[in-house]
Amino acid sequence: MDHFVGGSHIGQQEIARRLGLNSTDLTCFGYVLEAGVEPLTAGDLAERAHVTTGAVTGILNRLERAGFVLRQPDPEDRRRVRIVAEPAALTRVYAVYEPFYGRLAELYADYSPDEIAVLRDFFQRADALVRGYLEETRHSAM
């Protein structure tokens, strides 16, 4: 598992480099994409990425300058902005990720639907465990 996590981390750094980003900025862009039709606020993004609101401002500035995100006024609260993906950025990101996702699809094809269900369960539960642990450590450090 450690090798998988380490390799994934290095892979994420390489993909970020190819896109002209750092890995934290790419991770944040991923959260923007994940939010879909419910755009995130800067505060939402800071919470998900476990960074301060000041740090997220710098991240958003870099992502905006690089053409990855747009800031839009929040229709319900004029003091806030919502973060959305720049449509042209999706093409760039998918072009870099597509070969990897193709290989993943080939790997998944080796598994039965029941085995895929076990893998999905594992990753969902492991993700919840990691997020829970991060929350505990965040609050215990205060």
Side-chain angles (χ1 to χ4, degrees), residues 82-93:
R82 297 283 179 166
I83 313 305
V84 297
E86 173 69 58
L90 298 175
T91 303
R92 293 189 306 177
V93 170

Side-chain angles (χ1 to χ4, degrees), residues 10-137:
I10 291 168
Q12 185 78 348
Q13 288 175 330
E14 177 59 21
I15 288 170
R17 185 196 61 75
R18 289 183 62 198
L19 290 167
L21 300 172
N22 65 50
S23 59
T24 300
D25 293 358
L26 180 59
T27 297
C28 287
F29 182 66
Y31 289 134
V32 170
L33 292 179
E34 186 180 83
V37 297
E38 291 295 324
L40 298 173
T41 65
D44 295 333
L45 189 55
E47 182 73 22
R48 289 184 187 192
H50 289 259
V51 298
T52 65
T53 53
V56 91
T57 298
I59 291 166
L60 290 173
N61 288 343
R62 289 189 300 274
L63 287 172
E64 192 171 41
R65 272 194 311 273
F68 284 87
V69 300
L70 298 168
R71 291 175 168 125
Q72 297 179 337
D74 186 321
E76 297 175 15
D77 184 345
R78 300 175 117 217
R79 296 169 296 172
R80 287 191 310 191
V81 295
R82 297 283 179 166
I83 313 305
V84 297
E86 173 69 58
L90 298 175
T91 303
R92 293 189 306 177
V93 170
Y94 290 148
V96 173
Y97 274 99
E98 193 59 40
F100 176 67
Y101 285 155
R103 290 179 183 189
L104 278 178
E106 290 173 13
L107 176 63
Y108 290 142
D110 291 341
Y111 294 92
S112 71
D114 287 343
E115 290 170 324
I116 294 291
V118 170
L119 291 170
R120 179 178 295 127
D121 177 66
F122 170 79
F123 283 113
Q124 287 173 338
R125 291 171 62 190
D127 181 58
L129 185 143
V130 167
R131 290 180 188 279
Y133 180 74
L134 288 173
E135 282 303 309
E136 286 176 28
T137 57

